[in-house]
Amino acid sequence: MIFDRDYLYIENNLNLYISKTPKRLAKSCSVLIPVMQNNRKIAVLLTALVCGCFCIALAQPDNWEEFERSKELAVAELKSYPHPDRARVSALLKVCSTAVFLKVREAVLPYRAEALDLSRRLNYTKGLATAYLSYGLYYKSKLQPPISLAYFDSALQVVRNSTDPRMVEIKSSALERKGLIYMEQDNYYQALDYFFESLKYSGYKPSNRKINLYTNITQVYLRLNNLEKAEEYAKLNIAIIESDTSKSVASVYFSIIDIYLEKDNFVQAAYYLDKIAPGIPHPIEIQINFGYYMKRGALNFRQEKFREGFDDF
């Protein structure tokens, strides 16, 4: 689900997204802008998809009801841990982990605050690192990067050189999110530094982190117009999902399609679009459906197949 705040953010930054997109693709995106006068949300979503606002679409909870169910189960479990100990910290953080988007992250603020306070009193490093990471994600969702970066740095300071799998996972996540913030600020080389550093610790759960990192690295190289490096990391990503069926993420192909459109390699662009086609329409991820038809339409327009292109759009 994309909330009104997200639409406003995308619309306010639409020209910025287009400016970051390879020129030929930006032209395809810019034709959608006048449509906003008639149907703002659809136009904003479509344009953001093609411009790369949504780099990757993984299955995720997308409604308030699902969050409430997950939260209620976690809160019920929390009642089994009334004492101020590490077990309660873990249960509190489990409640926080049910939140993915800003609105739901705000709903678990009291649990996050208690987890951080109790972890400090217990000198519980794993709880501290997890709580700091959770706060960093919250402030990133609130579009407050300085505060978010401070919390990610705090998490990294607590983790240090720990080899505990959970701590290493936190380290990789904090580094990745710092890279995303710098990427959003157009600080591409610093973003790459953090993405590559995160890659060193990406062998732990969640298993999709390496896919996210390769996608982000690819997008940075696209914005730097380094198509060779972009293609290199896009292919590494494709190798992951094609060697492990449990990681079937159709939108991973979007980056390689953008690269081949920019290279005028229409045969390869069509080849990867055809890989996505059997799963279209996707029953859950409408972002994938929009992305597929917009990129298919862009390919047809580039080949002067205007009727097919209009049908796709």
Side-chain angles (χ1 to χ4, degrees):
M1 177 180 292
I2 299 177
F3 298 103
D4 287 340
R5 178 187 181 93
D6 301 309
Y7 284 113
L8 180 62
Y9 175 73
I10 294 168
E11 185 172 2
N12 287 342
N13 290 275
L14 187 54
N15 289 329
L16 179 61
Y17 280 115
I18 291 176
S19 71
K20 295 175 182 176
T21 307
K23 291 181 180 178
R24 294 189 182 94
L25 296 178
K27 289 179 182 178
S28 299
C29 302
S30 62
V31 299
L32 293 173
I33 294 176
V35 182
M36 287 186 188
Q37 297 174 352
N38 297 318
N39 197 326
R40 172 175 168 264
K41 288 191 175 182
I42 291 177
V44 172
L45 178 57
L46 286 172
T47 309
L49 278 164
V50 184
C51 292
C53 179
F54 301 101
C55 293
I56 187 167
L58 296 171
Q60 55 189 354
D62 61 355
N63 58 70
W64 181 265
E65 292 75 18
E66 185 170 346
F67 158 69
E68 282 290 351
R69 286 193 297 270
S70 299
K71 179 188 171 187
E72 286 174 7
L73 289 173
V75 170
E77 184 178 340
L78 174 63
K79 293 177 182 177
S80 302
Y81 303 97
H83 304 296
D85 54 18
R86 293 186 175 190
R88 180 168 179 81
V89 171
S90 297
L92 286 163
L93 291 169
K94 186 172 182 179
V95 176
C96 298
S97 71
T98 63
V100 178
F101 302 107
L102 175 61
K103 185 178 179 181
V104 294
R105 282 180 172 145
E106 288 176 335
V108 298
L109 271 174
Y111 302 95
R112 186 180 296 112
E114 183 183 348
L116 180 57
D117 178 65
L118 185 53
S119 294
R120 284 171 172 164
R121 287 191 280 127
L122 295 171
N123 195 26
Y124 180 29
T125 56
K126 192 179 296 186
L128 271 174
T130 306
Y132 284 139
L133 178 68
S134 183
Y135 266 105
L137 295 171
Y138 167 65
Y139 281 106
K140 186 177 184 302
S141 295
K142 286 195 74 175
L143 306 180
Q144 297 184 27
I147 302 176
S148 180
L149 287 170
Y151 276 110
F152 290 143
D153 284 337
S154 294
L156 292 169
Q157 183 67 21
V158 172
V159 172
R160 293 181 180 271
N161 296 317
S162 173
T163 57
D164 178 272
R166 172 57 184 158
M167 298 290 265
V168 175
E169 178 189 332
I170 291 170
K171 187 173 189 175
S172 181
S173 181
L175 290 166
E176 178 192 2
R177 293 325 195 280
K178 288 190 70 172
L180 283 170
I181 289 173
Y182 288 117
M183 180 179 172
E184 290 161 3
Q185 295 174 343
D186 296 345
N187 195 338
Y188 297 132
Y189 292 105
Q190 191 159 6
L192 284 174
D193 287 343
Y194 281 107
F195 290 148
F196 284 124
E197 188 67 16
S198 180
L199 269 176
K200 297 177 183 178
Y201 310 101
S202 63
Y204 296 86
K205 294 181 179 180
S207 58
N208 284 318
R209 173 151 297 120
K210 185 169 286 188
I211 295 175
N212 292 341
L213 285 165
Y214 281 153
T215 298
N216 292 328
I217 291 168
T218 300
Q219 289 299 315
V220 169
Y221 280 127
L222 265 171
R223 293 176 184 183
L224 291 170
N225 201 31
N226 189 336
L227 299 182
E228 299 310 313
K229 295 298 288 185
E231 184 176 356
E232 175 186 341
Y233 284 93
K235 286 182 174 179
L236 286 173
N237 226 1
I238 290 169
I240 292 175
I241 66 168
E242 291 188 346
S243 64
D244 184 351
T245 55
S246 69
K247 297 182 177 63
S248 180
V249 184
S251 55
V252 165
Y253 292 115
F254 287 166
S255 293
I256 197 78
I257 293 166
D258 287 342
I259 292 165
Y260 286 130
L261 285 173
E262 185 66 10
K263 286 186 167 186
D264 292 332
N265 190 335
F266 302 143
V267 172
Q268 284 295 96
Y271 171 77
Y272 285 105
L273 279 165
D274 289 342
K275 282 180 172 286
I276 303 173
I280 301 298
H282 195 285
I284 300 173
E285 297 289 352
I286 60 169
Q287 302 100 313
I288 293 176
N289 296 331
F290 276 125
Y292 170 80
Y293 287 116
M294 291 302 295
K295 292 179 191 300
R296 176 71 76 178
L299 173 62
N300 281 324
F301 261 75
R302 294 286 302 285
Q303 297 178 99
E304 299 185 358
K305 299 178 181 178
F306 300 118
R307 172 51 57 192
E308 293 90 336
F310 273 119
D311 290 343
D312 290 323
F313 289 143

